């Protein structure tokens, strides 16, 4: 079938009534189509044909000829252009496609879009689960405090946790006392330095006591210098112990808190499952028991994982603690002994042994550019 360019598809669509061609206009299109398709005609009594030489989008409607009538024109499935389709849609016409023609149409795959989840419903479900979990855990905690509920206890692990908490308190006390000693030593060194400067000034202005003031000035300056060296060793000791107490041990205790929370959840869902198993088993309770069993298994795995994590962290913490405290205690002892023995050389050697660099006086003070 010869077809014209899509540019001519926007032409008027002629409609024939009983084989007679009639000029159709947009305002009489519905009327002519109504006359060409009488009311009550079935699908077998209508047809849609396209003749050779007709423009794309022509529609012809009429009655099928009887058996003795001449052969009807060659029919094919109509493929109206976009312009003709839009015109038909604008006029509100419905095309009736024969069964044979409909069978020739290619049907594409049907894609069903996934159901869009409602964010509000998801948040509501999360809040519901959180509320239920909080209620169970709170009930378990209250039952344990009142002595009515049972709790899971790992005796070996609990003993290690108690020792760790007790040691943390003792280390914090040592750290606090060492900081006090550092503050007092700093004030003493500062006073000795000022006293040495005062002796040196009087040594220059008092000729009759020049040597006496000079000896005392040198002594105070030497004590101040040794005090600064000892202060550097003590501050290094404080920094190392502070890292051990407030970072390493604190990180382990944070894991212990997570372990204890997992233990409470595990006991709460264990108690819930035990209560359901003691009750009747019917069509209503069996799904609840199965769901409770699944939740119990999830929290049991979480509890076992957290217990394993705590055991590993306690082991590594003990090794790290012994190594760090051994070095720091040796440093503190050697520095204090050398200072009060007046052994300046040994005191300086102790700092070199632990790679401690002393800060020069006024090094921490900001420059005048930073103050602007």
């Amino acid at each position: 079938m010869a077809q014209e360019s899509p540019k001519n598809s926007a032409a008027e669509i002629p409609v024939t009534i009983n084989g007679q061609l009639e000029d159709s206009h947009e305002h009489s299109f519905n009327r002519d189509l109504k006359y060409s398709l009488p009311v009550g005609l079935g699908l077998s009594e209508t047809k849609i044909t396209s003749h050779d030489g007709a423009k794309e989008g022509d529609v012809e409607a009429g009655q099928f000829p009887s058996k003795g009538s001449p052969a009807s024109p060659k029919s094919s499935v109509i493929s109206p252009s976009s312009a003709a389709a839009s015109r038909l849609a604008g006029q509100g016409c419905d095309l009736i496609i024969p069964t044979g023609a409909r069978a020739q149409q290619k049907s594409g795959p049907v894609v069903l879009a996934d159901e869009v989840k409602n964010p509000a419903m998801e948040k509501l479900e999360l809040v519901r689960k959180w509320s239920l979990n909080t209620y169970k855990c709170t009930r378990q905690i209250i039952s344990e405090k009142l002595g009515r509920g049972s709790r899971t206890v790992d005796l070996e692990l609990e003993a290690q946790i108690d020792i760790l908490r007790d040691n943390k308190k003792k280390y914090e006390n040592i750290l606090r006392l060492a900081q006090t000693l550092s503050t007092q030593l700093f004030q003493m060194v500062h006073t000795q330095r000022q006293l040495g400067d005062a002796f040196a000034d009087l040594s220059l202005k008092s000729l009759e006591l020049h040597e006496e003031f000079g000896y005392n000035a040198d002594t105070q300056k030497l004590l101040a210098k040794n005090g600064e060296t000892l202060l550097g060793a003590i501050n290094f000791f404080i920094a190392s112990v502070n890292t051990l107490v407030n970072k390493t041990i604190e990180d382990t205790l944070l894991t212990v808190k997570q372990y204890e929370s997992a233990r409470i959840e595990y006991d709460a869902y264990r108690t819930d499952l035990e209560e359901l198993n003691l009750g009747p088993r019917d069509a209503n309770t069996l799904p609840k028991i199965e769901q409770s069993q699944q939740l119990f298994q999830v929290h049991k795995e979480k509890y076992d994982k957290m217990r394993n994590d705590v055991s590993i962290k306690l082991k590594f913490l003990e090794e790290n603690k012994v190594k760090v405290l051994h070095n720091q205690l040796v440093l503190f002892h050697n520095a204090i002994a050398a200072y009060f023995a007046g052994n300046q050389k040994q005191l300086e050697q102790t700092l070199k042994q632990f790679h401690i660099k002393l800060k020069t006086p006024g090094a921490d003070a900001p420059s005048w550019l930073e103050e602007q």
Side-chain angles (χ1 to χ4, degrees), residues 59-97:
V59 179
E60 180 178 348
Q63 296 181 351
F64 282 101
S66 62
K67 295 182 179 179
S69 61
S72 61
K74 183 180 179 180
S75 62
S76 62
V77 179
I78 185 170
S79 300
S81 63
S82 59
S86 62
R87 185 183 300 278
L88 289 174
Q91 295 295 334
C93 298
D94 296 329
L95 294 178
I96 303 176
I97 302 177

Side-chain angles (χ1 to χ4, degrees), residues 178 181-182 185 229-239 332 335-336:
L181 177 62
S182 175
L185 180 61
T229 306
L230 177 62
L231 190 62
I234 294 177
N235 289 336
F236 186 78
F237 171 81
I238 291 173
F332 191 83
I336 293 291

Side-chain angles (χ1 to χ4, degrees), residues 296-310:
F296 166 75
Q297 188 65 30
V298 170
H299 287 86
K300 183 178 184 300
E301 294 176 357
K302 180 181 178 182
Y303 167 73
D304 292 338
K305 179 180 178 301
M306 293 306 304
R307 181 174 58 181
N308 186 44
D309 291 346
V310 171

Side-chain angles (χ1 to χ4, degrees), residues 112-234:
L112 297 178
D114 295 337
E115 184 179 357
V116 180
K117 296 182 179 180
N118 191 353
M121 296 300 296
E122 292 181 355
K123 292 182 179 179
L124 185 61
E125 181 66 18
L126 291 176
V127 171
R128 188 188 69 83
K129 292 181 179 179
W130 174 84
S131 302
L132 181 61
N133 185 73
T134 303
Y135 164 74
K136 291 180 179 295
C137 294
T138 304
R139 184 184 63 179
Q140 178 66 25
I141 293 173
I142 295 175
S143 299
E144 291 178 2
K145 290 184 176 180
L146 295 177
R148 299 176 181 175
S150 61
R151 63 187 299 265
T152 304
V153 179
D154 189 332
L155 297 178
E156 182 180 358
L157 191 61
E158 293 290 338
Q160 295 177 1
I161 293 174
D162 292 340
I163 293 174
L164 175 63
R165 286 173 173 162
D166 185 60
N167 287 337
K168 183 175 183 291
K169 293 179 181 179
K170 295 179 180 179
Y171 295 155
E172 287 175 344
N173 184 43
I174 291 176
L175 184 61
R176 183 168 52 253
L177 294 175
Q179 290 173 344
T180 303
L181 177 62
S182 175
T183 302
Q184 294 174 349
L185 180 61
F186 174 78
Q187 294 175 354
M188 185 182 72
V189 169
H190 180 67
T191 303
Q192 288 174 338
R193 188 182 299 111
Q194 289 181 338
L195 187 59
D197 293 338
F199 283 147
D201 183 62
L202 290 173
S203 175
L204 296 174
K205 295 180 180 180
S206 302
L207 298 178
E208 64 280 4
L209 297 174
H210 171 73
E211 294 183 359
E212 289 78 0
F213 280 124
Y215 294 154
N216 283 277
D218 294 340
T219 302
Q220 294 300 322
K221 288 181 180 180
L222 180 60
L223 290 175
K225 182 180 178 180
N226 292 341
E228 291 175 355
T229 306
L230 177 62
L231 190 62
I234 294 177

Side-chain angles (χ1 to χ4, degrees), residues 309-326:
D309 291 346
V310 171
S311 299
I312 294 174
K313 281 201 171 186
L314 286 174
K315 180 181 179 180
F316 283 115
L317 174 63
E318 187 65 23
E319 296 177 356
N320 187 34
K321 180 192 69 174
V322 171
K323 181 179 179 180
V324 170
L325 288 181
H326 170 75

